[in-house]
Amino acid sequence: MAPRLCSISVAARRLLGGPGPRAGDVTAAAAARFYSKDNEGSWFRSLFVHKVDPRKDAHSTLLSKKETSSLYKIQFHNVKPEYLDAYNSLTEAVLPKLHLDEDYPCSLVGNWNTWYGEQDQAVHLWRFSGGYPALMDCMNKLKNNKEYLEFRRERSQMLLSRRNQLLLEFSFWNEPQPRLGPNIYELRTYKLKPGTMIEWGNNWARAIKYRQENQEAVGGFFSQIGELYVVHHLWAYKDLQSREETRNAAWRKRGWDENVYYTVPLVRHMESRIMIPLKISPLQ
């Protein structure tokens, strides 16, 4: 408050016809105006600052299932077009052995080729029962698996690029279970604005009930390692016409439009893939 009192005294001397301000008074007055303006602006801005409640848990703990410790890995393999059939045959010969071997704490959830979206692409979804320790146990064992190492060497000649992510499962989604076919699958990928995952989860926890009548909801996941703030929703339909009818039916349910209204502003980018299961996929 001292600078403000100084500036008031300068103004008072002017009104009373006293001597003009000294150099020190001018400096103090300028400082007072700056001090006052800066603090008033800060106070005004503070009215609009979103107050965040302190949390003791990461959003992964708040959003993922408590009763399981499963970790998921999704792989995207972009295959050279001329090798797609050979790639599928090789994959179908080797991956089921890992799935069935009880010594490896990993299991296949689904395997697909992209039908609409990125072409000549394979997508694989794995579950590691036991979380990160299971993942590391599996990776260490594969280092000494000669058949798998030969598989990777041969596979590398067929690929243009590959990437993966480690995922956790949303607590309010179904856990992916094997399905009889034939089905097509849609993988909808949402890249969210940083800091919005909790809000996304809160809205979808209420909205998922609108998408359960036809058993189309397969699984919902969010990234932990790889590109962050990425959400994957996996849906199953009998065909494209069934997809269209099911999605249109959701809009006729009161409350679905609210979910869309509140979640669309959270999204930076979104993508849809229509996928066809491989022969070995537990999700047919």
Side-chain angles (χ1 to χ4, degrees):
M1 292 299 295
R4 186 182 292 274
L5 290 173
C6 179
S7 64
I8 292 174
S9 64
V10 171
R13 284 198 298 271
R14 287 178 175 171
L15 290 172
L16 296 173
R22 295 168 295 176
D25 292 331
V26 174
T27 303
R33 288 194 296 272
F34 176 81
Y35 176 86
S36 176
K37 181 179 179 181
D38 182 66
N39 278 270
E40 289 174 2
S42 298
W43 172 83
F44 183 75
R45 286 193 299 270
S46 70
L47 295 177
F48 301 95
V49 173
H50 175 62
K51 300 299 191 300
V52 178
D53 294 331
R55 294 190 180 275
K56 296 182 180 179
D57 297 311
H59 71 249
S60 58
T61 303
L62 297 171
L63 291 171
S64 60
K65 291 188 175 178
K66 306 296 188 298
E67 64 272 19
T68 67
S69 57
S70 294
L71 181 71
Y72 292 83
K73 178 171 74 171
I74 192 167
Q75 299 172 301
F76 299 95
H77 292 171
N78 293 317
V79 185
K80 297 176 182 178
E82 64 272 22
Y83 283 114
L84 185 59
D85 289 340
Y87 170 91
N88 288 340
S89 297
L90 181 64
T91 296
E92 291 168 348
V94 176
L95 296 190
K97 296 179 182 179
L98 299 178
H99 174 74
L100 296 173
D101 192 335
E102 295 182 357
D103 196 37
Y104 289 86
C106 61
S107 58
L108 289 172
V109 177
N111 311 81
W112 303 270
N113 285 148
T114 300
W115 183 22
Y116 287 100
E118 287 194 60
Q119 297 293 284
D120 304 309
Q121 185 181 71
V123 180
H124 305 286
L125 183 62
W126 294 84
R127 180 191 292 116
F128 295 87
S129 300
Y132 292 108
L135 172 70
M136 295 310 300
D137 182 32
C138 192
M139 294 300 100
N140 289 331
K141 289 176 178 176
L142 288 176
K143 291 177 182 178
N144 299 311
N145 185 323
K146 293 182 179 179
E147 183 180 11
Y148 182 76
L149 294 176
E150 176 59 25
F151 159 73
R152 289 195 58 176
R153 186 197 66 77
E154 189 173 349
R155 185 189 66 182
S156 68
Q157 307 300 314
M158 305 177 181
L159 297 181
L160 293 170
S161 64
R162 60 193 179 102
R163 61 186 175 89
N164 59 22
Q165 293 174 333
L166 292 181
L167 313 171
L168 292 179
E169 183 183 10
F170 282 113
S171 60
F172 47 86
W173 271 78
N174 306 328
E175 183 171 347
Q177 298 294 336
R179 293 191 179 212
L180 297 176
N183 294 294
I184 63 170
Y185 289 82
E186 181 176 20
L187 183 66
R188 295 179 71 87
T189 299
Y190 304 87
K191 297 180 180 180
L192 305 184
K193 298 174 183 177
T196 61
M197 188 66 73
I198 293 291
E199 189 175 353
W200 177 275
N202 288 340
N203 280 285
W204 267 96
R206 294 188 294 269
I208 190 63
K209 61 184 178 183
Y210 302 117
R211 298 296 308 275
Q212 298 279 20
E213 287 185 4
N214 295 326
Q215 304 297 314
E216 68 267 27
V218 178
F221 313 90
F222 59 99
S223 61
Q224 280 292 282
I225 296 180
E227 188 174 4
L228 299 178
Y229 285 97
V230 176
V231 170
H232 299 288
H233 290 176
L234 184 61
W235 309 92
Y237 305 101
K238 291 301 180 183
D239 49 39
L240 289 176
Q241 183 61 36
S242 171
R243 171 186 177 273
E244 179 74 6
E245 293 170 357
T246 301
R247 289 175 55 80
N248 286 340
W251 284 100
R252 294 192 290 270
K253 298 172 184 176
R254 184 176 181 182
W256 175 252
D257 57 338
E258 292 184 9
N259 174 61
V260 175
Y261 176 83
Y262 286 116
T263 55
V264 165
L266 311 180
V267 178
R268 294 189 294 112
H269 177 77
M270 60 187 294
E271 181 179 6
S272 170
R273 289 178 177 84
I274 301 297
M275 307 183 301
I276 305 297
L278 298 184
K279 295 177 182 178
I280 61 171
S281 178
L283 290 168
Q284 282 296 311

